[in-house]
Amino acid sequence: MIRLEDVGHVYAAGTPWARRALRGVDLTIGPGERLLVLGPNGSGKSTLAWVVAGLLAPVEGTATLHGRPLGDVPGATAMTFQHARLQLFRPTVEADVRFGTRLDNGAVDNALEMVGLDPTVFRSRRVDELSGGQQRRVALAGALVRRPRLLVLDEPLAGLDLPGRRLLTTVLARLNREAEVAIMVVTHDVEDAYRLADRALVLRAGQVVADDDVGAVVGEAQP
Amino acid sequence: MSAPSREIHLLRYVPGHSYLHRMWAGTKLLAVVAIDIALVARPGWPAQAVVWVLALTAFFTSGVPATALPRPPRWFVLLVGLDCLLSIGSGGSPSIHLAGISIELGGMLEWWRITSLALLVLAMATLVAWTTPMAELTPAMSKLVTPLRWLRLPADEVVLAISLSVRCLPLLLEEFRVLQAARRMREPTLPQGLGGRIRYAHDVLVTALASSLRRAKEMAEAIEARGGAEGFTTEPVRLTGIDAAALAVVAVTVAAVALLG
């Protein structure tokens, strides 16, 4: 279980450019939970995602996984970023999914199947020849191959066409159901909220202003 | 919890109302270029001392807090220190005698002179960045290169290239931050040994380069689609007493550098 207690973060603290991104955030994410983080641009969503992924040490409060600081549990969380091209480090799909691990072909194929890519077709394909949606799924496979307990996705549907959005939404739902991976989706778009999560949290100016069932939160947010 | 990454603040504006903030951006650019050229031509200690006094006076009267000063990472300071030590090997007079050993300091003094010059050039550029909004730089540069247009040289293209480079710096830094985070997600433990570190740097740099080239291509296509580099709108320049005083100080400084250097 991931627990954030009174977490606050200030970028460039102690300089003229200091900017507070989070303030007093309390959050618990249970096993297999599907959480949606909503909020306008600059509300602190991405900072929260970085903290939960263990990539950023908050300057205030604590962020722990089963009582241990998040940054001290490598591999427990995985994150994919908005721009897939910044997460692909190897020329071919197979090499990229295996990157940073010592896994065999079976594990790589399994990860590709989980994200809906046929290994026999995609294993040897070059990553720069893939579409944006396919690149995003390769990045997702690269994150899943480590078998994280929580997957953090920053704007996973941004820039995808309608079929691409539907496909990725289905893949995420299946991952959560079959692999029991908890999922935290960060987005400013409520359109796909119902299909992505059961619970939603709304951030405004770095503070949590709502944390409830997705139906209640999205219903309130829409006019 | 892992340590927070050291944030880099290059060429960031610090809002204020000092005389440097109110000065036309073109005056500041002209001042820096004139003093830099003079310094590079006559880089002696007396000339540098004059410019250091000017730069420090400008900093202390600009209203920019000391917290804006860059904090270089420890590895960088160590590398510079090592470089300084290595410069002793160049020898040259004067020399000192310690415990029966003669140490020639000429090389090190030369190293200090060049390092001081580099710091001075950097300090003046930083002062301009701290006191000038990015949006004011392009029109000012466009005005300053007017003589190039008379000679039918590609002035607008040069201005566009410079202003895009400056504007894209924060984007590049942000992409680099995401890249490093993505790399850490995929391989949480930093590789050990020189080979591992080189492989790490290779992965991040090659991906950054590929991404930057793609972004540059997209940006170039967008600029072409909007009519290319031509047609910069430049507002009329209104020089004030502050600009006149600054240009007079710069003229005196350049003369002092030429005489003393």
Side-chain angles (χ1 to χ4, degrees), chain A residues 44-114:
Chain A
K45 302 185 302 292
S46 290
T47 305
L48 181 63
W50 280 55
V51 169
V52 170
L55 287 168
L56 188 69
V59 295
E60 296 157 1
T62 55
T64 56
L65 173 72
H66 297 307
R68 289 173 65 193
L70 266 172
D72 293 351
V73 197
T77 54
M79 180 169 173
T80 64
F81 302 83
Q82 188 175 344
H83 300 292
R85 66 188 183 201
L86 292 177
Q87 306 162 66
L88 304 174
F89 294 98
R90 289 286 181 264
T92 64
V93 169
E94 182 188 356
D96 191 81
V97 173
R98 184 180 284 131
F99 176 71
T101 69
R102 292 173 190 278
L103 297 170
D104 56 17
N105 286 343
V108 172
D109 288 355
N110 190 29
L112 286 173
E113 278 165 4
M114 273 199 280

Coordinates of all heavy atoms in Angstrom, one line a residue, chain A residues 44-114:
Chain A
G44 N -0.5 20.5 -10.3 CA 0.4 19.7 -9.5 C 0.3 18.2 -9.8 O 0.8 17.3 -9.1
K45 N -0.5 17.8 -10.8 CA -0.8 16.4 -11.1 C 0.5 15.7 -11.5 O 0.8 14.6 -10.9 CB -1.7 16.3 -12.4 CG -3.0 17.0 -12.3 CD -3.9 16.7 -13.5 CE -3.3 17.1 -14.8 NZ -3.2 18.5 -15.0
S46 N 1.3 16.3 -12.3 CA 2.6 15.6 -12.7 C 3.5 15.4 -11.6 O 4.2 14.4 -11.4 CB 3.2 16.3 -13.9 OG 2.4 16.1 -15.1
T47 N 3.6 16.5 -10.7 CA 4.5 16.4 -9.6 C 4.0 15.3 -8.6 O 4.9 14.5 -8.1 CB 4.4 17.8 -8.8 OG1 4.8 18.8 -9.7 CG2 5.4 17.8 -7.6
L48 N 2.7 15.2 -8.4 CA 2.2 14.1 -7.6 C 2.6 12.7 -8.2 O 3.0 11.8 -7.5 CB 0.7 14.2 -7.5 CG 0.0 13.1 -6.6 CD1 0.5 13.2 -5.2 CD2 -1.5 13.3 -6.7
A49 N 2.5 12.6 -9.6 CA 2.8 11.4 -10.2 C 4.3 11.0 -10.0 O 4.6 9.9 -9.7 CB 2.5 11.5 -11.7
W50 N 5.2 12.0 -10.1 CA 6.6 11.8 -9.9 C 6.9 11.4 -8.5 O 7.7 10.5 -8.2 CB 7.4 13.1 -10.3 CG 7.6 13.3 -11.7 CD1 6.6 13.3 -12.7 CD2 8.8 13.4 -12.4 NE1 7.2 13.5 -13.9 CE2 8.5 13.6 -13.8 CE3 10.2 13.5 -12.0 CZ2 9.5 13.8 -14.8 CZ3 11.1 13.7 -13.0 CH2 10.8 13.8 -14.3
V51 N 6.2 12.0 -7.5 CA 6.4 11.6 -6.1 C 5.9 10.1 -5.9 O 6.6 9.3 -5.3 CB 5.6 12.5 -5.2 CG1 5.6 12.0 -3.8 CG2 6.2 13.9 -5.2
V52 N 4.7 9.8 -6.4 CA 4.2 8.4 -6.3 C 5.1 7.4 -7.0 O 5.3 6.3 -6.5 CB 2.7 8.3 -6.8 CG1 2.3 6.9 -6.8 CG2 1.8 9.1 -5.9
A53 N 5.7 7.8 -8.1 CA 6.6 6.9 -8.8 C 8.0 6.8 -8.1 O 8.8 6.0 -8.6 CB 6.7 7.3 -10.3
G54 N 8.2 7.6 -7.1 CA 9.5 7.5 -6.4 C 10.6 8.2 -7.2 O 11.8 8.1 -6.9
L55 N 10.2 9.1 -8.1 CA 11.2 9.8 -8.9 C 11.6 11.2 -8.3 O 12.5 11.8 -8.6 CB 10.7 10.1 -10.3 CG 10.6 8.9 -11.2 CD1 9.8 9.2 -12.5 CD2 12.0 8.5 -11.6
L56 N 10.7 11.6 -7.4 CA 10.9 12.9 -6.8 C 10.7 12.8 -5.3 O 9.7 12.3 -4.8 CB 9.9 13.9 -7.4 CG 10.0 15.4 -7.0 CD1 11.3 16.0 -7.7 CD2 8.8 16.1 -7.6
A57 N 11.7 13.3 -4.5 CA 11.6 13.3 -3.1 C 10.9 14.6 -2.6 O 11.4 15.7 -2.9 CB 12.9 13.2 -2.4
P58 N 9.7 14.5 -2.0 CA 9.0 15.7 -1.6 C 9.8 16.4 -0.5 O 10.4 15.8 0.3 CB 7.6 15.2 -1.1 CG 7.9 13.8 -0.7 CD 9.0 13.3 -1.6
V59 N 9.7 17.8 -0.6 CA 10.4 18.5 0.5 C 9.7 18.5 1.8 O 10.3 18.9 2.8 CB 10.7 20.0 0.0 CG1 11.7 20.0 -1.2 CG2 9.4 20.7 -0.3
E60 N 8.4 18.2 1.7 CA 7.6 18.1 3.0 C 6.8 16.8 3.0 O 6.4 16.3 2.0 CB 6.6 19.3 3.1 CG 7.2 20.6 3.1 CD 6.3 21.7 2.7 OE1 5.1 21.4 2.3 OE2 6.7 22.9 2.6
G61 N 6.7 16.2 4.2 CA 5.8 15.0 4.4 C 6.6 13.8 4.0 O 7.8 13.8 3.7
T62 N 5.8 12.6 4.0 CA 6.5 11.3 3.7 C 5.7 10.6 2.6 O 4.5 10.7 2.5 CB 6.5 10.4 4.9 OG1 5.2 10.3 5.4 CG2 7.5 11.0 6.0
A63 N 6.4 9.8 1.8 CA 5.8 9.0 0.8 C 6.4 7.6 0.9 O 7.6 7.4 0.8 CB 6.1 9.5 -0.6
T64 N 5.5 6.6 1.3 CA 6.0 5.3 1.6 C 5.3 4.2 0.9 O 4.1 4.4 0.5 CB 5.9 5.1 3.2 OG1 4.6 5.3 3.6 CG2 6.9 6.0 3.9
L65 N 5.9 3.0 0.8 CA 5.3 1.8 0.3 C 5.5 0.8 1.4 O 6.6 0.4 1.7 CB 5.9 1.4 -1.0 CG 5.5 0.0 -1.5 CD1 4.0 0.1 -2.1 CD2 6.4 -0.5 -2.6
H66 N 4.4 0.3 2.0 CA 4.5 -0.6 3.1 C 5.5 -0.1 4.2 O 6.3 -0.8 4.7 CB 4.9 -2.0 2.7 CG 3.8 -2.6 1.8 ND1 2.5 -2.7 2.1 CD2 4.0 -3.1 0.5 CE1 1.9 -3.3 1.1 NE2 2.7 -3.5 0.1
G67 N 5.4 1.2 4.4 CA 6.3 1.8 5.5 C 7.7 2.2 5.1 O 8.4 2.8 5.8
R68 N 8.1 1.8 3.9 CA 9.4 2.1 3.4 C 9.4 3.3 2.4 O 8.5 3.3 1.6 CB 10.1 0.9 2.7 CG 10.5 -0.2 3.6 CD 10.9 -1.4 2.8 NE 12.2 -1.2 2.1 CZ 12.6 -2.0 1.2 NH1 12.0 -3.1 0.8 NH2 13.8 -1.7 0.6
P69 N 10.4 4.2 2.5 CA 10.3 5.3 1.6 C 10.3 4.8 0.1 O 11.0 3.9 -0.2 CB 11.7 6.0 1.8 CG 12.0 5.7 3.2 CD 11.5 4.3 3.5
L70 N 9.4 5.5 -0.7 CA 9.2 5.0 -2.1 C 10.4 4.9 -2.9 O 10.6 3.9 -3.7 CB 8.2 6.0 -2.7 CG 6.7 5.6 -2.7 CD1 5.9 6.7 -3.2 CD2 6.5 4.3 -3.5
G71 N 11.3 5.8 -2.8 CA 12.6 5.8 -3.5 C 13.5 4.6 -3.2 O 14.4 4.3 -3.9
D72 N 13.2 4.0 -2.0 CA 14.1 2.9 -1.6 C 13.5 1.5 -2.0 O 14.1 0.5 -1.7 CB 14.2 2.9 0.0 CG 15.0 4.0 0.5 OD1 15.5 4.8 -0.4 OD2 15.0 4.3 1.7
V73 N 12.4 1.5 -2.8 CA 11.9 0.3 -3.3 C 11.9 0.2 -4.8 O 10.8 0.4 -5.4 CB 10.4 0.1 -2.7 CG1 10.0 -1.4 -2.9 CG2 10.3 0.6 -1.3
P74 N 13.1 0.1 -5.4 CA 13.1 0.2 -6.9 C 12.3 -0.9 -7.5 O 12.3 -2.1 -7.0 CB 14.6 0.0 -7.2 CG 15.3 -0.6 -6.0 CD 14.4 -0.2 -4.8
G75 N 11.6 -0.6 -8.6 CA 10.8 -1.6 -9.3 C 9.4 -1.8 -8.8 O 8.6 -2.4 -9.4
A76 N 9.1 -1.2 -7.6 CA 7.8 -1.4 -7.1 C 6.8 -0.6 -7.8 O 5.6 -1.0 -8.0 CB 7.7 -1.0 -5.6
T77 N 7.2 0.5 -8.3 CA 6.3 1.4 -9.2 C 7.0 1.6 -10.5 O 8.2 1.5 -10.7 CB 6.1 2.8 -8.5 OG1 7.4 3.3 -8.3 CG2 5.3 2.7 -7.2
A78 N 6.1 1.8 -11.5 CA 6.6 2.1 -12.9 C 5.8 3.3 -13.4 O 4.7 3.5 -12.9 CB 6.4 0.9 -13.8
M79 N 6.4 4.0 -14.3 CA 5.7 5.2 -14.8 C 5.9 5.3 -16.3 O 7.0 5.0 -16.8 CB 6.2 6.4 -14.1 CG 5.5 7.7 -14.5 SD 5.9 9.1 -13.5 CE 5.2 10.4 -14.4
T80 N 4.9 5.7 -17.0 CA 5.1 6.0 -18.4 C 4.7 7.5 -18.5 O 3.9 8.0 -17.8 CB 4.2 5.2 -19.4 OG1 2.8 5.5 -19.1 CG2 4.4 3.7 -19.2
F81 N 5.4 8.1 -19.4 CA 5.3 9.6 -19.6 C 4.5 9.9 -20.8 O 4.3 9.1 -21.7 CB 6.7 10.2 -19.6 CG 7.5 9.9 -18.4 CD1 8.2 8.7 -18.3 CD2 7.6 10.8 -17.4 CE1 9.0 8.4 -17.2 CE2 8.3 10.4 -16.2 CZ 9.0 9.2 -16.2
Q82 N 4.1 11.2 -20.9 CA 3.2 11.6 -22.0 C 3.8 11.4 -23.4 O 3.2 10.9 -24.3 CB 2.9 13.1 -21.8 CG 1.8 13.6 -22.8 CD 1.4 15.0 -22.5 OE1 1.7 15.5 -21.5 NE2 0.8 15.6 -23.5
H83 N 5.1 11.7 -23.5 CA 5.8 11.5 -24.8 C 6.5 10.2 -24.9 O 7.6 10.1 -24.3 CB 6.7 12.7 -25.1 CG 6.0 14.0 -25.1 ND1 5.0 14.3 -26.1 CD2 6.0 15.0 -24.3 CE1 4.5 15.5 -25.8 NE2 5.1 16.0 -24.7
A84 N 5.9 9.2 -25.6 CA 6.5 7.9 -25.7 C 7.9 7.9 -26.2 O 8.8 7.1 -25.8 CB 5.6 7.0 -26.5
R85 N 8.2 8.8 -27.1 CA 9.5 8.8 -27.8 C 10.7 9.1 -26.8 O 11.8 8.8 -27.1 CB 9.6 9.8 -28.9 CG 9.5 11.2 -28.5 CD 9.3 12.1 -29.7 NE 9.3 13.5 -29.3 CZ 8.8 14.5 -30.1 NH1 8.3 14.2 -31.2 NH2 8.8 15.7 -29.6
L86 N 10.3 9.7 -25.6 CA 11.4 9.9 -24.6 C 11.6 8.7 -23.7 O 12.5 8.8 -22.8 CB 11.0 11.1 -23.8 CG 11.0 12.5 -24.5 CD1 10.5 13.6 -23.5 CD2 12.3 12.8 -25.0
Q87 N 10.9 7.6 -24.0 CA 11.1 6.5 -23.1 C 11.6 5.3 -23.8 O 11.6 4.2 -23.3 CB 9.7 6.1 -22.5 CG 9.0 7.2 -21.8 CD 7.6 7.0 -21.6 OE1 7.2 6.0 -20.9 NE2 6.7 7.7 -22.3
L88 N 11.9 5.4 -25.1 CA 12.3 4.3 -25.9 C 13.8 4.4 -26.1 O 14.3 5.4 -26.8 CB 11.6 4.2 -27.2 CG 10.0 4.2 -27.1 CD1 9.4 4.3 -28.4 CD2 9.6 2.9 -26.4
F89 N 14.6 3.5 -25.5 CA 16.0 3.7 -25.5 C 16.8 2.7 -26.5 O 18.0 2.8 -26.5 CB 16.6 3.4 -24.1 CG 16.1 4.5 -23.1 CD1 15.0 4.3 -22.3 CD2 16.7 5.7 -23.1 CE1 14.6 5.2 -21.4 CE2 16.3 6.7 -22.2 CZ 15.2 6.5 -21.4
R90 N 16.1 1.8 -27.1 CA 16.7 0.9 -28.0 C 16.0 0.9 -29.4 O 14.9 1.2 -29.5 CB 16.7 -0.5 -27.4 CG 17.6 -0.7 -26.1 CD 19.0 -0.8 -26.6 NE 19.9 -1.0 -25.4 CZ 20.6 0.0 -24.8 NH1 20.4 1.3 -25.2 NH2 21.4 -0.2 -23.8
P91 N 16.8 0.5 -30.4 CA 16.2 0.6 -31.8 C 15.0 -0.4 -32.1 O 14.1 0.0 -32.8 CB 17.4 0.3 -32.7 CG 18.4 -0.3 -31.9 CD 18.2 0.1 -30.4
T92 N 15.0 -1.6 -31.5 CA 13.9 -2.5 -31.8 C 13.0 -2.7 -30.6 O 13.4 -2.5 -29.5 CB 14.5 -3.9 -32.3 OG1 15.1 -4.4 -31.2 CG2 15.4 -3.8 -33.5
V93 N 11.8 -3.1 -30.9 CA 10.8 -3.3 -29.9 C 11.3 -4.3 -28.8 O 11.3 -4.1 -27.6 CB 9.5 -3.9 -30.5 CG1 8.5 -4.3 -29.4 CG2 8.9 -2.8 -31.4
E94 N 11.8 -5.5 -29.3 CA 12.3 -6.5 -28.4 C 13.4 -6.0 -27.4 O 13.4 -6.1 -26.2 CB 12.8 -7.7 -29.1 CG 13.3 -8.8 -28.2 CD 14.0 -10.0 -29.0 OE1 14.0 -9.9 -30.2 OE2 14.4 -10.9 -28.3
A95 N 14.4 -5.3 -28.1 CA 15.5 -4.8 -27.3 C 15.0 -3.7 -26.3 O 15.5 -3.6 -25.1 CB 16.6 -4.2 -28.2
D96 N 14.1 -2.9 -26.7 CA 13.6 -1.9 -25.8 C 12.8 -2.4 -24.7 O 13.0 -2.0 -23.5 CB 12.7 -0.8 -26.6 CG 12.5 0.4 -25.7 OD1 13.4 1.2 -25.7 OD2 11.4 0.4 -25.1
V97 N 11.9 -3.4 -24.9 CA 11.1 -3.9 -23.8 C 12.1 -4.6 -22.8 O 11.9 -4.5 -21.6 CB 10.1 -4.9 -24.3 CG1 9.4 -5.6 -23.2 CG2 9.1 -4.2 -25.2
R98 N 13.1 -5.3 -23.3 CA 14.0 -6.0 -22.4 C 15.0 -5.0 -21.7 O 15.6 -5.4 -20.7 CB 14.9 -7.0 -23.2 CG 15.7 -7.9 -22.3 CD 16.5 -8.9 -23.1 NE 15.7 -10.0 -23.5 CZ 15.7 -10.5 -24.7 NH1 16.4 -9.9 -25.7 NH2 14.9 -11.5 -25.0
F99 N 15.1 -3.8 -22.2 CA 16.1 -2.9 -21.7 C 16.1 -2.7 -20.1 O 15.0 -2.6 -19.5 CB 15.8 -1.5 -22.3 CG 16.7 -0.4 -21.8 CD1 18.0 -0.3 -22.1 CD2 16.2 0.6 -21.0 CE1 18.8 0.7 -21.7 CE2 17.0 1.6 -20.5 CZ 18.3 1.6 -20.9
G100 N 17.2 -2.8 -19.5 CA 17.4 -2.6 -18.1 C 17.0 -3.9 -17.3 O 17.0 -3.9 -16.1
T101 N 16.7 -5.0 -18.0 CA 16.4 -6.3 -17.3 C 17.2 -7.4 -17.8 O 18.0 -7.2 -18.8 CB 14.9 -6.6 -17.5 OG1 14.8 -7.0 -18.9 CG2 14.0 -5.5 -17.2
R102 N 17.2 -8.6 -17.2 CA 17.9 -9.7 -17.7 C 16.8 -10.8 -18.1 O 17.1 -12.0 -17.9 CB 18.8 -10.3 -16.7 CG 20.0 -9.3 -16.4 CD 20.8 -9.8 -15.2 NE 21.8 -8.9 -14.8 CZ 23.0 -8.7 -15.3 NH1 23.4 -9.4 -16.4 NH2 23.8 -7.8 -14.9
L103 N 15.7 -10.4 -18.6 CA 14.6 -11.3 -18.8 C 14.8 -12.1 -20.2 O 15.4 -11.6 -21.1 CB 13.3 -10.6 -18.8 CG 13.0 -9.9 -17.5 CD1 11.8 -9.0 -17.6 CD2 12.7 -11.0 -16.4
D104 N 14.1 -13.2 -20.3 CA 14.2 -14.0 -21.5 C 13.1 -13.6 -22.5 O 12.3 -12.7 -22.2 CB 14.1 -15.5 -21.2 CG 12.8 -15.8 -20.5 OD1 11.9 -15.0 -20.5 OD2 12.7 -16.9 -19.9
N105 N 13.1 -14.2 -23.7 CA 12.2 -13.9 -24.7 C 10.7 -14.1 -24.3 O 9.9 -13.3 -24.7 CB 12.4 -14.7 -26.0 CG 13.7 -14.3 -26.7 OD1 14.2 -13.2 -26.4 ND2 14.2 -15.1 -27.5
G106 N 10.5 -15.1 -23.5 CA 9.1 -15.4 -23.0 C 8.5 -14.2 -22.3 O 7.4 -13.8 -22.5
A107 N 9.3 -13.6 -21.4 CA 8.8 -12.5 -20.6 C 8.6 -11.3 -21.5 O 7.6 -10.6 -21.3 CB 9.9 -12.1 -19.5
V108 N 9.4 -11.1 -22.4 CA 9.2 -10.0 -23.4 C 7.9 -10.2 -24.2 O 7.1 -9.3 -24.3 CB 10.5 -9.8 -24.3 CG1 10.2 -8.8 -25.4 CG2 11.7 -9.5 -23.5
D109 N 7.8 -11.4 -24.7 CA 6.6 -11.7 -25.5 C 5.3 -11.5 -24.6 O 4.3 -11.0 -25.1 CB 6.6 -13.1 -26.0 CG 7.7 -13.3 -27.1 OD1 8.2 -12.2 -27.5 OD2 7.9 -14.4 -27.6
N110 N 5.4 -12.0 -23.4 CA 4.3 -11.9 -22.5 C 3.9 -10.4 -22.3 O 2.7 -10.0 -22.3 CB 4.7 -12.5 -21.1 CG 3.5 -12.7 -20.2 OD1 2.3 -12.8 -20.7 ND2 3.7 -12.7 -18.9
A111 N 4.9 -9.6 -22.1 CA 4.6 -8.1 -21.9 C 4.0 -7.5 -23.1 O 3.1 -6.7 -23.0 CB 5.9 -7.4 -21.5
L112 N 4.5 -7.9 -24.3 CA 3.9 -7.4 -25.5 C 2.5 -7.8 -25.7 O 1.6 -7.0 -26.1 CB 4.8 -7.8 -26.7 CG 6.1 -7.1 -26.9 CD1 6.9 -7.8 -28.0 CD2 5.9 -5.7 -27.2
E113 N 2.2 -9.1 -25.4 CA 0.8 -9.6 -25.5 C -0.1 -8.8 -24.5 O -1.2 -8.5 -24.8 CB 0.8 -11.1 -25.2 CG 1.2 -11.9 -26.4 CD 1.5 -13.4 -26.0 OE1 1.3 -13.7 -24.8 OE2 1.9 -14.1 -26.9
M114 N 0.4 -8.5 -23.3 CA -0.4 -7.8 -22.3 C -0.9 -6.5 -22.9 O -1.9 -6.0 -22.5 CB 0.4 -7.6 -21.0 CG 0.3 -8.8 -20.1 SD 0.8 -8.3 -18.4 CE 2.5 -8.3 -18.5

